[in-house]
Amino acid sequence: MKVNANTVEEYFQAIPEERQPHMKKLHQTIVDNLPEGFQVGMSYGMVGYVVPHSLYPAGYHCDPKLPLPFMSIASQKNFIALYHMGIYANPELLAWFQEEYPKHVKTKLDMGKSCIRFKKPEVIPYDLIGELCKQMDPQKWINVYESVIK
């Protein structure tokens, strides 16, 4: 579901009203737990959490004018999505998350390569998402990113 928004606030206003509390709580959970250095803004039409050019001047290899993406959240047609590039690039982090998930949620993990889908917003494991955010600071993400890209 494409949302036309220039700011995080506009994004939340543009999504369906019933999703807004869940998306706002997910966003706040991420902001409260991300290590210092990440920046919040719009990224690829989603609420994004990136490594700014001030910390990583090379930017994103696909488009160096853009900061290095790390996480995003989006209200999709049938689910709320959390995109986490660290899970995609770091097998140990993926294994940790897959092991922890059932301790927090009774439903089966619905996940793509970097996308975690929450079809029932009321079961989003905010505590687990907070812990996931703490697992990687900007420098660690840059190191993982560069090891995978090169």
Side-chain angles (χ1 to χ4, degrees):
M1 177 169 86
K2 177 107 168 90
V3 176
N4 291 320
N6 294 315
T7 67
V8 173
E9 294 77 25
E10 285 178 14
Y11 185 90
F12 290 139
Q13 291 173 359
I15 63 175
E17 193 172 333
E18 65 274 5
R19 293 254 181 104
Q20 290 179 16
H22 304 287
M23 288 288 293
K24 288 178 181 179
K25 185 173 181 179
L26 181 58
H27 169 67
Q28 195 59 54
T29 298
I30 293 168
V31 168
D32 289 347
N33 289 283
L34 267 181
E36 189 174 329
F38 288 106
Q39 194 172 66
V40 180
M42 295 302 295
S43 180
Y44 289 96
M46 300 176 281
V47 178
Y49 311 89
V50 301
V51 178
H53 282 104
S54 60
L55 294 180
Y56 190 65
Y60 188 37
H61 73 280
C62 293
D63 184 349
K65 290 179 286 201
L66 297 175
L68 179 62
F70 179 59
M71 291 178 68
S72 298
I73 57 173
S75 178
Q76 303 293 8
K77 182 178 178 183
N78 296 313
F79 53 88
I80 289 176
L82 169 70
Y83 301 89
H84 192 291
M85 298 305 290
I87 282 179
Y88 178 67
N90 185 319
E92 293 85 20
L93 185 57
L94 173 61
W96 171 84
F97 186 79
Q98 290 173 327
E99 184 178 314
E100 288 297 312
Y101 189 86
K103 298 174 186 176
H104 297 264
V105 181
K106 301 276 186 255
T107 57
K108 182 181 176 204
L109 177 60
D110 184 358
M111 185 173 181
K113 287 184 179 181
S114 70
C115 171
I116 304 160
R117 294 177 282 272
F118 301 106
K119 292 181 180 162
K120 295 181 180 180
E122 61 277 0
V123 300
I124 294 174
Y126 297 104
D127 291 342
L128 178 60
I129 300 304
E131 287 302 312
L132 176 62
C133 291
K134 294 175 185 178
Q135 299 292 319
M136 199 172 280
D137 65 24
Q139 189 57 56
K140 187 172 180 181
W141 170 230
I142 290 167
N143 294 344
V144 169
Y145 172 76
E146 286 184 341
S147 74
V148 172
I149 282 304
K150 293 183 176 174

